Amino acid sequence: MERLLEYFTPEKYVLDLYIDKEQKSIKGKVVVTGESKTEAIKFHCVDLKILNVVVNEKNTEYKCADDLLMIETGVGDNVIKIEYEGKLNENMQGAYLSTYEYEGRTETIAATQFESHYAREAFPCIDEPAAKAVFEVSITLPEGSDDLILTNVPMGEPTPRMSTYLLAWVIGHFHGKTVKNAHGTEITTYCSLAQDVDSVDFANEIAAKSLEFYDDNFGVPYPLAKCVQVALPDFEAGAMENWGLVTYRESMLLAGKTATIGTKKGVALTVAHELSHQWFGDLVTMAWWDDLWLNESFASVMEYYAVDHAYPEFKIFEGFFTGDCFAALMRDAYTDVQSVHQEVHDPAEIATLFDGAIVYSKGARLMLMLIRLMGWESFCKGVADYFEKYQYQNTAGDDLWACLSKYAEFDTGKLMHAFIDRPGYPVITGEEGFRDYMQKRFLLDSSEMPDSSWPLPEITEDMSGHYVLNLNENEFDKRLADFDSLGLEEKLRLLIDRSLLARTDLAKSADLLPLAMKFKNESSAAVWEIVAVIIAQLKIFFEPESEEEANFKKFVGKLVAPKLTEIGLTTREGDDENILRLRAILLGLDFYAETTKNLKQLAEMYDQDYTKLDPEIRDAILDAKIYLEPEILAEYLKAYQRQADPEIKADLRVAMTLSRDEKNVRELVSLLGENKIIKLQDQIFLFVRLFRNSKAKELTWQWLVENWQWLVKVMGDKSLDAYPRYTANIIRTEKEFAVWQEFFSVKRKDPALSRAIEIGEKEIKARLELIKKDRGAVKVALEGFSVSF
């Protein structure tokens, strides 16, 4: 791929922008100072109308073609002035518009999302991470505008030296609150006028604590005087680490008076993640996108350390083990999955690098392994050296390994290259204690697991290592018998590994039924999270609405009944984080089991004033109500459009998709293209939920086929591959696979989709083969339980 930095090194951009939200337009002047290395240079320039180019005070000829602006400058230092016009789009990338309703009127926000390569849609630039420069931004609005203008640093002041994708501005009507942390950093968090201003309090609190934690552990203090956070009503990603001006989806930043502990944990992790990027990514940036993991893998593990330090009562690492670690193991078990370090050959491939299970989850799990091998203090010493040496510069992985190796008793580069530069992980078979063992690559899409070796300084049975332990039946039964004496991580490792092995010839799916039932009296929410995974794993063997599925639902009801009866359906005084999380898991399983008396009891708790509902079980109440009374959909839809609280909106959106009423299903599918009701940022969540609903599956797929070109037009690059990826996860029959394959096979040449389609095919084939192989034995095993139902 052509790198424009080879022709020109920018030192400073001075942007003077006139932004008119009503006209959806930008009129810009940018003055770029830098060094031309060749006679002709190029800038990235997408959908911008160039009006004039001046080089060193002389009008200069230019040419625009293939999303590039080409200018004859001559070799040497140059000052390049470019006048241009651009548009504010509505697809949540580049410079875009966001809207919300407030007091009967539509409020409009102008915002930016430049990662990964969308700054070029807002101004001509060298839009590559290694092309760091200083930016000065001035923004003028139409006369009479009273909009608040937010930029990385105060307007007209220079930013630190940084990459183009970290530049940002936000313009609109907001309210917010300001705090100062113990180190003197001023933190301000804004939300739209439609949101309760108090909903920013928790975000300010965790931001203050996170910045203090990183200051104390990273060696180099936060380099800016202020940190500004903004919740945007329309936002494609979860959040974006723009240096000094961090932008978020509302649901990822706001926690109102009735926020659940789950919401607070999600906000805490997101804020801690983005603020760790102020060092990993902003202060020191990967030289090219193939080292995106240098940003995301580190931020994805640092968020847990920061939140655990700030709120130990959250037991936040339990979610890491049952969520990130398990997701990484599942995604990384296919032959051609991407590696954490992945080469990029086409701009469209950049968006596909943001694979949550690999670059984020697997990378974070590998960082945890490294941190535990080194020890936290030694790791932080190496990180401090790294930031001190490379601040305001670009790096590759080996730069970090060199800094860390000084404080490790092993070669960090050798270890990490083995896991980061290639996909996959080992399944380890050996004697007790694994002093003598054999490695093979663990695969779900192949009956043959090839011999393969990874360097493993030590093998433990906690959650540190990215591998699967293949215990023989005697060893597994022994640990199961002593389950209560195991540490939590050992318990999770035992169940996660068995869940994965049962998807291969190394263990039996049918054995998962009695295994799950052993935990009917278990008290740990984390253990129940894996039990829930096992239940989901077993669902694939039963046809929807069949007699076997009905019996399996009875099995699930019997499984959850003892513990759910013990802790009750509703929140009780003194419930700790574990009980609150456990109740939510059990209620979800019980909903699947269709336990009528519990559904009726929950539905009777319904109140049209959703703020009066117990927030910890509000989702279960809404789910039960629409399941028993499908006609309530109209009321839910009205409430969804009226509500501003992102947590309540999410609960309503999920509940609506659970309806099995044919009329409701048709109405909901029609909303997939109705942006005024279901925002584009939320469309994929509605789509996936409907596709999971067996009553809505066929109609939802038909909508996708008929509206694909519309999706291509309105969705950002990062979102499009979600459709083959998520649908592949839900395919259950050969007929569905044939339809899926026919539709997506012709799109394989699109670099933005090819990897998701390829892995999706492997995932579906592996699942169909497993169903074919194990369905009979699973049904027989279930019959053994059915006698007692």
Side-chain angles (χ1 to χ4, degrees):
M1 189 190 309
E2 184 180 34
R3 307 284 180 89
L4 304 195
L5 190 58
E6 295 175 359
Y7 312 130
F8 181 77
T9 302
E11 291 297 327
K12 186 175 183 179
Y13 294 82
V14 178
L15 282 89
D16 186 0
L17 307 175
Y18 177 81
I19 296 179
D20 189 328
K21 294 186 298 183
E22 186 174 337
Q23 297 299 317
K24 301 181 180 180
S25 67
I26 300 175
K27 294 182 180 179
K29 298 177 182 178
V30 57
V31 179
V32 191
T33 305
E35 180 187 3
S36 299
K37 302 171 187 175
T38 55
E39 293 291 333
I41 66 170
K42 301 177 182 181
F43 286 132
H44 293 107
C45 179
V46 175
D47 295 332
L48 299 177
K49 181 181 179 181
I50 304 301
L51 304 177
N52 190 41
V53 176
V54 175
V55 177
N56 299 329
E57 303 300 331
K58 293 181 180 180
N59 286 327
T60 303
E61 294 293 322
Y62 60 89
K63 179 182 177 183
C64 294
D66 302 321
D67 294 333
L68 296 173
L69 168 62
M70 290 156 277
I71 308 170
E72 296 284 341
T73 62
V75 176
D77 294 337
N78 287 295
V79 178
I80 304 164
K81 300 178 182 179
I82 305 169
E83 294 186 38
Y84 68 97
E85 294 177 349
K87 288 290 184 181
L88 299 173
N89 67 65
E90 297 177 359
N91 66 1
M92 297 177 289
Q93 69 183 37
Y96 72 95
L97 295 173
S98 172
T99 61
Y100 67 94
E101 299 300 313
Y102 178 67
E103 294 186 344
R105 67 180 186 272
T106 299
E107 289 280 347
T108 303
I109 296 165
T112 59
Q113 172 59 34
F114 289 162
E115 190 181 32
S116 54
H117 56 297
Y118 307 120
R120 63 191 69 183
E121 297 180 13
F123 64 101
C125 57
I126 308 296
D127 200 10
E128 299 167 0
K132 286 195 168 188
V134 172
F135 297 83
E136 288 183 13
V137 179
S138 296
I139 296 174
T140 304
L141 304 177
E143 187 176 352
S145 173
D146 60 353
D147 282 346
L148 177 68
I149 302 174
L150 301 171
T151 51
N152 301 76
V153 297
M155 280 203 300
E157 294 185 11
T159 67
R161 189 169 178 269
M162 66 185 195
S163 303
T164 50
Y165 78 89
L166 297 170
L167 190 67
W169 57 79
V170 176
I171 303 163
H173 289 146
F174 300 93
H175 53 186
K177 291 187 176 183
T178 299
V179 298
K180 187 172 285 190
N181 74 1
H183 296 179
T185 301
E186 185 179 290
I187 300 151
T188 303
T189 302
Y190 293 100
C191 61
S192 78
L193 300 179
Q195 301 292 346
D196 182 352
V197 71
D198 292 338
S199 66
V200 307
D201 288 343
F202 183 69
N204 270 342
E205 180 179 293
I206 183 60
K209 292 181 177 182
S210 296
L211 290 175
E212 291 167 13
F213 178 78
Y214 297 140
D215 277 349
D216 292 340
N217 288 281
F218 289 169
V220 175
Y222 180 70
L224 302 177
K226 298 180 180 181
C227 174
V228 177
Q229 304 184 114
V230 187
L232 295 172
D234 298 274
F235 198 75
E236 190 271 344
M240 178 60 210
E241 65 268 21
N242 314 300
W243 211 354
L245 178 58
V246 188
T247 47
Y248 297 80
R249 185 180 285 240
E250 288 179 328
S251 60
M252 297 287 98
L253 187 66
L254 305 180
K257 296 181 179 68
T258 62
T260 64
I261 193 166
T263 290
K264 286 188 173 182
K265 288 164 71 174
V267 168
L269 287 171
T270 305
V271 171
H273 179 104
E274 301 308 320
L275 296 188
S276 77
H277 274 314
Q278 308 299 292
W279 286 264
F280 284 107
D282 297 5
L283 181 68
V284 181
T285 312
M286 74 271 155
W288 185 243
W289 295 106
D290 55 357
D291 275 321
L292 174 66
W293 65 271
L294 271 173
N295 292 10
E296 299 301 347
S297 299
F298 276 87
S300 295
V301 75
M302 284 302 130
E303 64 186 79
Y304 284 93
Y305 277 97
V307 174
D308 188 53
H309 176 79
Y311 306 101
E313 68 274 16
F314 282 0
K315 300 178 182 177
I316 204 71
F317 268 104
E318 291 187 13
F320 179 73
F321 300 138
T322 61
D324 290 78
C325 292
F326 188 82
L329 289 166
M330 280 296 297
R331 184 72 168 171
D332 205 24
Y334 295 97
T335 48
D336 294 316
V337 71
Q338 74 178 66
S339 55
V340 175
H341 176 273
Q342 183 71 35
E343 291 187 5
V344 178
H345 304 289
D346 186 285
E349 291 180 348
I350 296 174
T352 70
L353 293 176
F354 292 82
D355 186 321
I358 299 297
V359 171
Y360 292 73
S361 294
K362 178 184 176 180
R365 211 259 177 99
L366 297 177
M367 293 307 111
L368 178 73
M369 178 175 70
L370 178 63
I371 291 167
R372 287 185 167 182
L373 286 169
M374 291 183 65
W376 176 255
E377 289 187 6
S378 295
F379 174 79
C380 287
K381 288 178 181 177
V383 165
D385 286 358
Y386 175 73
F387 289 135
E388 181 63 36
K389 182 175 182 179
Y390 293 110
Q391 55 187 312
Y392 307 108
Q393 299 179 54
N394 297 86
T395 60
D398 284 336
D399 298 315
L400 177 62
W401 308 141
C403 291
L404 292 175
S405 285
K406 292 189 295 182
Y407 302 97
E409 296 178 358
F410 57 94
D411 187 334
T412 61
K414 181 180 179 181
L415 172 69
M416 300 308 287
H417 275 300
F419 280 94
I420 284 175
D421 291 347
R422 63 172 174 162
Y425 57 89
V427 54
I428 299 170
T429 305
E431 300 301 318
E432 184 176 1
F434 295 97
R435 289 180 292 274
D436 185 27
Y437 60 86
M438 175 182 68
Q439 294 188 48
K440 288 180 178 289
R441 181 179 175 186
F442 184 81
L443 292 171
L444 292 176
D445 61 327
S446 174
S447 58
E448 295 294 326
M449 297 191 188
D451 291 335
S452 194
S453 180
W454 282 261
L456 298 169
E458 62 181 21
I459 296 175
T460 63
E461 295 191 36
D462 61 11
M463 290 298 295
S464 299
H466 189 57
Y467 46 73
V468 167
L469 298 178
N470 180 27
L471 300 173
N472 62 44
E473 291 304 314
N474 288 336
E475 289 295 330
F476 179 75
D477 290 342
K478 180 180 177 181
R479 284 164 177 75
L480 206 57
D482 297 333
F483 194 78
D484 290 343
S485 66
L486 299 177
L488 177 63
E489 290 188 37
E490 292 173 311
K491 293 177 179 180
L492 298 178
R493 159 75 71 184
L494 189 70
L495 293 178
I496 288 172
D497 287 359
R498 184 55 45 148
S499 167
L500 287 160
L501 292 166
R503 300 166 199 258
T504 72
D505 292 334
L506 297 175
K508 300 174 182 177
S509 296
D511 290 344
L512 295 177
L513 283 159
L515 176 63
M517 192 58 77
K518 286 181 182 293
F519 296 98
K520 63 182 180 181
N521 295 310
E522 175 63 43
S523 296
S524 166
V527 170
W528 268 102
E529 283 173 341
I530 304 306
V531 173
V533 166
I534 290 171
I535 295 302
Q537 185 173 343
L538 288 166
K539 288 180 185 178
I540 68 172
F541 297 107
F542 308 105
E543 294 283 350
E545 300 183 60
S546 64
E547 182 180 350
E548 289 91 349
E549 186 193 46
N551 284 333
F552 182 61
K553 289 184 176 183
K554 291 178 183 177
F555 171 89
V556 175
K558 184 178 179 181
L559 170 66
V560 303
K563 205 67 191 177
L564 189 55
T565 300
E566 177 188 329
I567 67 174
L569 299 182
T570 60
T571 305
R572 299 173 177 177
E573 186 176 353
D575 283 351
D576 61 11
E577 185 276 342
N578 181 73
I579 294 295
L580 294 174
R581 185 158 44 109
L582 176 58
R583 183 178 292 110
I585 297 164
L586 295 178
L587 286 174
L589 290 170
D590 197 58
F591 180 86
Y592 171 75
E594 299 176 345
T595 306
T596 304
K597 66 180 181 66
N598 289 343
L599 290 171
K600 287 182 177 179
Q601 189 176 339
L602 288 164
E604 287 170 0
M605 300 177 196
Y606 178 77
D607 192 300
Q608 286 183 319
D609 183 353
Y610 299 135
T611 62
K612 292 181 179 179
L613 301 178
D614 177 351
E616 296 293 346
I617 63 167
R618 179 179 54 225
D619 56 346
I621 293 170
L622 295 174
D623 295 352
K625 187 71 172 177
I626 197 167
Y627 181 84
L628 295 175
E629 302 174 29
E631 63 274 11
I632 199 132
L633 177 68
E635 188 172 307
Y636 279 14
L637 276 172
K638 287 179 182 177
Y640 185 84
Q641 295 174 76
R642 186 175 63 247
Q643 273 289 336
D645 186 313
E647 189 175 15
I648 294 176
K649 287 180 80 77
D651 286 345
L652 284 166
R653 189 170 58 245
V654 171
M656 289 189 291
T657 64
L658 296 174
S659 176
R660 302 177 66 77
D661 178 81
E662 183 178 346
K663 181 182 176 183
N664 285 355
V665 163
R666 290 190 175 277
E667 183 168 1
L668 290 167
V669 170
S670 72
L671 295 180
L672 288 169
E674 188 58 64
N675 297 351
K676 290 184 178 180
I677 298 176
I678 304 295
K679 284 179 171 287
L680 277 179
Q681 66 172 8
D682 300 319
Q683 195 270 357
I684 185 64
F685 302 118
L686 180 68
F687 173 87
V688 171
R689 287 282 181 175
L690 286 171
F691 196 66
R692 284 179 181 164
N693 182 337
S694 61
K695 293 289 188 180
K697 197 172 193 178
E698 187 174 343
L699 199 60
T700 306
W701 177 261
Q702 182 181 334
W703 182 92
L704 178 70
V705 172
E706 293 174 356
N707 293 275
W708 181 257
Q709 291 307 316
W710 176 77
L711 287 171
V712 171
K713 180 180 178 181
V714 302
M715 287 292 179
D717 291 346
K718 286 186 188 179
S719 299
L720 207 56
D721 73 339
Y723 294 91
R725 183 154 43 91
Y726 286 129
T727 51
N729 186 250
I730 304 169
I731 297 296
R732 296 288 182 270
T733 68
E734 293 284 356
K735 181 180 178 181
E736 290 175 349
F737 181 34
V739 172
W740 185 94
Q741 211 169 19
E742 181 182 8
F743 180 70
F744 282 117
S745 61
V746 297
K747 299 170 177 58
R748 297 179 77 105
K749 293 182 179 180
D750 184 341
L753 297 172
S754 59
R755 186 176 292 122
I757 295 170
E758 183 177 5
I759 300 303
E761 273 191 351
K762 294 177 183 297
E763 182 183 345
I764 296 169
K765 288 178 180 178
R767 185 181 308 113
L768 295 178
E769 183 62 31
L770 181 64
I771 292 172
K772 181 180 178 181
K773 178 173 69 74
D774 286 0
R775 172 176 273 163
V778 171
K779 288 183 177 180
V780 169
L782 180 64
E783 289 170 3
F785 287 95
S786 299
V787 175
S788 60
F789 291 159

